[in-house]
Amino acid sequence: MDWNEIQNFSSNIVFGILLFAMVIYWINLSFFTERSIFSQIGRISTIIANVLLFFILCSRWIVAGYFPLSNLYESLLFLTWSLLTIYLYIETKTKSRLIGAILIPVTLLINGFANLTLSPEMQKSSPLVPALQSNWLMMHVSMMILSYATLIIGSLLSILFLVISQYREIDLKLVDNSGLPLYNVMLDYYEAKVISSSNKISEISELGKLKLLQSLDNWSYRIIGLGFPFLTIGIISGGVWANEAWGSYWSWDPKETWALITWLVFATYLHARITKGWEGKKTAILGGLGFFVIWICYLGVNFLGKGLHSYGWIS
């Protein structure tokens, strides 16, 4: 069994573990109002999948001799690893069961697309094309993928805010006067209050729901605020690299154009929050829009089959 077979086998194991973890998270969320053994099983499964992905990426780096971000398959694996790593940190801070139930399916779909849709030829490591033989490869692509991962999570939390609030305008300022303890990051307490009272809405469940929405709004803002500098650094480093490789900082390539659109969407989000004081539904709509823009930028333009980012084409 050669290295490619070992890596493919390990990647298939990751897919199976993520599928198992998704089922566990959904069972835990559907049938238990408090944290149970299923939470620990789901977390351990996610950690194992993350470690295996780290092993796959490192082995490809060692065997190929360059940072494993030279094609679409490797970038999908790195994106999955980044999403799981950030998620594990968030879960440690929030003790939330809800975030895992919506994020693990996303990582499962990404991993499934990489393993089941891309051809074996696209999954193999291959010599770098001349344009990619640069020290800027690690800087530019890693920053872009990290920005995608953080912004995807922040956008998902915005969408979750809209779903739980049922697309209604919620005055989050009322939460501070609710009489409930200000647990800014402890989501599990309020999730239990909302879930356990799904059949009978009481005053405490409504207050718990408001607090859950405030926490989601807060965490969405924090994570998007972290991902935006990554995106900015990625775009700037890409421009410098483009000038070095092609003699031009900006060429209005489809990938470049959509990266700029993504940057503008999240710049608008942060501007609205910081200078206009927006929160709740308005910013959640912007964040939710960003989720779809990211996927067009990262994956959608690859179906066009034209532009300077030809290594990412889907044939």
Side-chain angles (χ1 to χ4, degrees):
M1 183 178 289
D2 61 15
W3 272 110
N4 284 326
E5 292 175 341
I6 293 174
Q7 290 168 359
N8 290 338
F9 179 71
S10 300
S11 191
N12 289 331
I13 291 177
V14 170
F15 179 81
I17 293 174
L18 289 176
L19 178 60
F20 173 76
M22 181 187 72
V23 174
I24 291 297
Y25 274 108
W26 284 1
I27 290 174
N28 185 47
L29 191 65
S30 300
F31 297 103
F32 297 92
T33 58
E34 304 292 341
R35 290 179 65 82
S36 66
I37 187 64
F38 285 94
S39 295
Q40 295 301 320
I41 294 174
R43 179 175 174 80
I44 292 172
S45 300
T46 305
I47 291 173
I48 293 173
N50 205 35
V51 170
L52 279 174
L53 281 170
F54 184 76
F55 162 76
I56 294 170
L57 291 169
C58 288
S59 64
R60 292 180 75 96
W61 192 350
I62 294 170
V63 173
Y66 55 82
F67 195 62
L69 285 174
S70 64
N71 57 36
L72 181 60
Y73 177 74
E74 291 173 344
S75 72
L76 286 167
L77 293 184
F78 189 74
L79 177 63
T80 306
W81 177 80
S82 301
L83 285 168
L84 290 176
T85 301
I86 297 169
Y87 160 67
L88 288 170
Y89 171 78
I90 295 174
E91 187 183 51
T92 300
K93 291 294 184 179
T94 64
K95 311 300 180 186
S96 173
R97 301 171 297 143
L98 191 56
I99 299 176
I102 64 168
L103 185 61
I104 297 302
V106 174
T107 61
L108 178 67
L109 289 173
I110 296 172
N111 188 262
F113 177 77
N115 290 310
L116 305 177
T117 303
L118 299 184
S119 65
E121 288 300 318
M122 294 187 70
Q123 297 180 22
K124 290 181 180 178
S125 298
S126 57
L128 290 175
V129 298
L132 296 182
Q133 295 174 6
S134 169
N135 292 328
W136 287 104
L137 171 66
M138 182 186 299
M139 176 70 172
H140 169 61
V141 185
S142 63
M143 284 294 101
M144 293 302 294
I145 298 299
L146 283 173
S147 72
Y148 293 155
T150 49
L151 294 174
I152 284 172
I153 294 176
S155 299
L156 272 176
L157 295 183
S158 294
I159 294 173
L160 184 60
F161 179 96
L162 292 174
V163 172
I164 294 177
S165 66
Q166 299 177 344
Y167 202 71
R168 292 179 299 176
E169 190 67 55
I170 304 293
D171 188 358
L172 297 178
K173 294 182 176 63
L174 296 176
V175 180
D176 295 333
N177 300 320
S178 64
L180 292 176
L182 188 59
Y183 293 152
N184 234 3
V185 296
M186 297 295 287
L187 296 185
D188 62 329
Y189 171 81
Y190 301 102
E191 288 171 8
K193 292 297 183 184
V194 174
I195 295 168
S196 63
S197 59
S198 58
N199 294 326
K200 55 175 186 176
I201 302 300
S202 61
E203 182 181 1
I204 185 65
S205 71
E206 284 299 311
L207 294 177
K209 182 177 179 179
L210 286 173
K211 192 60 188 178
L212 173 59
L213 289 171
Q214 186 195 49
S215 297
L216 288 173
D217 184 67
N218 186 23
W219 270 100
S220 176
Y221 176 38
R222 292 182 183 185
I223 297 169
I224 290 175
L226 173 65
F228 185 74
F230 288 155
L231 180 62
T232 304
I233 294 171
I235 292 175
I236 292 174
S237 60
V240 175
W241 185 10
N243 185 61
E244 180 184 287
W246 300 310
S248 174
Y249 287 100
W250 196 266
S251 304
W252 293 106
D253 172 79
K255 184 78 84 171
E256 294 174 350
T257 303
W258 277 98
L260 177 61
I261 293 172
T262 304
W263 189 89
L264 290 173
V265 168
F266 287 104
T268 303
Y269 174 95
L270 293 174
H271 173 75
R273 292 205 68 128
I274 296 171
T275 65
K276 299 296 184 181
W278 286 14
E279 61 179 6
K281 177 184 173 181
K282 293 179 180 179
T283 50
I285 292 173
L286 283 173
L289 172 64
F291 178 79
F292 300 99
V293 172
I294 291 169
W295 282 111
I296 294 174
C297 176
Y298 173 58
L299 203 56
V301 296
N302 290 2
F303 289 96
L304 296 176
K306 59 182 180 180
L308 297 173
H309 292 76
S310 58
Y311 66 92
W313 290 353
I314 297 175
S315 56

